[in-house]
Amino acid sequence: NLGLYTLNGSIQGREQMRNIAEYIVSTGRSWKGNIGSTKVIFEFTKASIVRAPITLGNDHNASDRYDEVSFWVKNRGLIRWSGFANPRLEGRKVIFERKNWEPKSEDDDPHLKFGMFPKPKY
């Protein structure tokens, strides 16, 4: 699932937006038994976007500042992530991987926020 959301703030009077990408694994909690192996790969077309992931895990209570334009202006190229495992970075790929586990909730779904840009005018 790919999408967009509006950030709090603007640059030169234009609202800014971020990309989001996620993959749903939480529906696996209805399966019988553990999932033997899960590997979710997000691949980017611009290497500059994936310089250094932000390691937040599933701490949604601390995410308010990550919705502010000022944070992303200072930290261009970073990826805010949450999901079922600490991801690793391989070139342009962000990889979540885990063996023998069972999803507990939607917090296990790998989720990325990245790439600030001006909101389009309609």
Side-chain angles (χ1 to χ4, degrees):
N1 180 28
L2 295 173
L4 304 169
Y5 75 97
T6 302
L7 290 166
N8 298 322
S10 64
I11 295 177
Q12 297 177 345
R14 290 199 61 193
E15 286 184 278
Q16 301 295 300
M17 300 186 77
R18 293 211 66 66
N19 292 295
I20 59 172
E22 66 183 346
Y23 188 80
I24 298 173
V25 297
S26 56
T27 54
R29 69 181 174 265
S30 64
W31 301 350
K32 183 178 180 181
N34 287 349
I35 298 172
S37 179
T38 305
K39 188 174 191 177
V40 177
I41 302 171
F42 295 93
E43 185 170 4
F44 294 87
T45 58
K46 294 183 181 176
S48 63
I49 292 175
V50 292
R51 279 183 281 182
I54 299 170
T55 55
L56 295 179
N58 294 321
D59 189 0
H60 297 295
N61 294 330
S63 66
D64 290 347
R65 67 182 176 160
Y66 300 98
D67 289 334
E68 300 291 333
V69 167
S70 59
F71 173 82
W72 292 104
V73 166
K74 294 176 191 170
N75 296 284
R76 291 187 187 270
L78 297 180
I79 295 171
R80 190 260 187 220
W81 67 268
S82 62
F84 64 83
N86 292 340
R88 70 179 186 275
L89 188 59
E90 291 182 7
R92 297 178 185 180
K93 297 177 183 176
V94 177
I95 301 168
F96 291 81
E97 193 167 17
R98 190 166 178 185
K99 294 182 186 300
N100 195 31
W101 72 290
E102 184 177 352
K104 303 292 184 215
S105 72
E106 288 79 16
D107 288 343
D108 289 322
D109 297 337
H111 185 92
L112 306 178
K113 292 181 182 178
F114 57 95
M116 186 174 71
F117 61 94
K119 183 176 180 179
K121 294 180 181 180
Y122 297 103

